[in-house]
Amino acid sequence: MNYQKTIEEIYVESQEFPKIGEVSASIPELKNISPDKFGIFISTHEGTEFGKGDFQEKISIQSVSKVFTLCLAFSILGEKIWQRVNVEPSGNAFNSLVQLENEKGIPRNPFINAGAIVIADILLSHLKNPKEDFLEFIREISGKKNIQFNQKVALSEKQTGYRNFALGNFLKSFGNIENKVEDVLDFYFHQCSVEMTCEELAHAFYFLANEGKTKSGKTILNKSQIKRLNALMLTCGFYDESGEFAYKVGLPGKSGIGGAIVAVLPRKFAVATWSPRLNEKGNSEAGMYALELLTTKLGISIF
Ligand code: GLU
């Protein structure tokens, strides 16, 4: 498999890709990211790694963090977490309130905001030092000690996160939040504000492509749990565009409004892309294109 040649070709073709979409405007502190950044990094099962473009620049990981919190909660509580959050695609916007009313406070899945807020509540109830323990978890799976929150981004979201506060309060009214809504959202805004490079993201997701084992050999989740996590990323990882991503790319993955996309091909590789311009569904258009090129050129996907 000639990964290096493929990554280089993808980089060139992505530079020619039309400049579709805008940088997310929902968090004021993120508005100033330069829109035309592009990075890609792949970490393979054979031990080879290739990066191109801005793959060593820190990105606000935003919703990609929902995979990390879910893995951590799943590793602590196992199947019990599904009593409080479902595993179905939502077919609605990531921050929608409508479905919650009809479904009595049980979010459709852990990757829409309502679901991620419930997972944040679970972590708050089970971790001694939630924020620090969460950072330690990401540092462990990525093998990078320098991973941090961006306090300015967390504060900026806290000051403007009216809809997430609405979701938190709504969930609490249904009895699906145990802690103080304010504390849960403080944790949630911090998890979203974590900054990582494409290289660090690909390393952190590697265990999802490696039957639960990190690059350094530590088991985080068992094979059956990995199957469940990857199934959820395939069906729910791309907001209301998960079908489109599965159709075009054919890999489980997760996107964030900072422009990152991380995807895995089980037993083959973990790959991360970054391009801050988002389409109207909230996904990085050039990132999706790059990953479509990757599975097409390599001729491999989960299908
Ligand atoms: N912090 C953002 C929010 O809750 C994350 C959105 C995203 O990346 O999808 O709205």
Side-chain angles (χ1 to χ4, degrees), residues 86-100 102-103 107-113 232 234-244 281:
N86 218 324
V87 294
E88 294 297 337
S90 78
N92 274 306
F94 66 98
N95 53 9
S96 166
L97 283 145
V98 182
Q99 222 159 30
L100 259 192
N102 296 332
E103 297 178 1
R108 270 285 167 115
N109 68 66
F111 296 148
I112 52 172
N113 285 12
L232 270 168
L234 184 77
T235 52
C236 313
F238 295 86
Y239 314 116
D240 196 13
E241 208 173 20
S242 300
E244 178 96 359
K281 295 277 171 68

Side-chain angles (χ1 to χ4, degrees), residues 217-237:
K218 179 156 188 207
T219 300
I220 303 295
L221 294 172
N222 66 36
K223 277 192 198 176
S224 150
Q225 290 173 318
I226 292 294
K227 177 183 77 178
R228 300 193 192 299
L229 254 300
N230 283 336
L232 270 168
M233 288 201 290
L234 184 77
T235 52
C236 313

Side-chain angles (χ1 to χ4, degrees), residues 76-77 84 118-128 130 177-180 184:
I76 299 170
L77 278 187
R84 294 182 54 191
V118 168
I119 298 293
D121 181 57
I122 291 175
L123 290 180
L124 236 59
S125 298
H126 287 87
L127 298 176
K128 255 205 188 123
I177 293 288
E178 290 171 353
N179 298 280
K180 276 176 35 196
V184 176

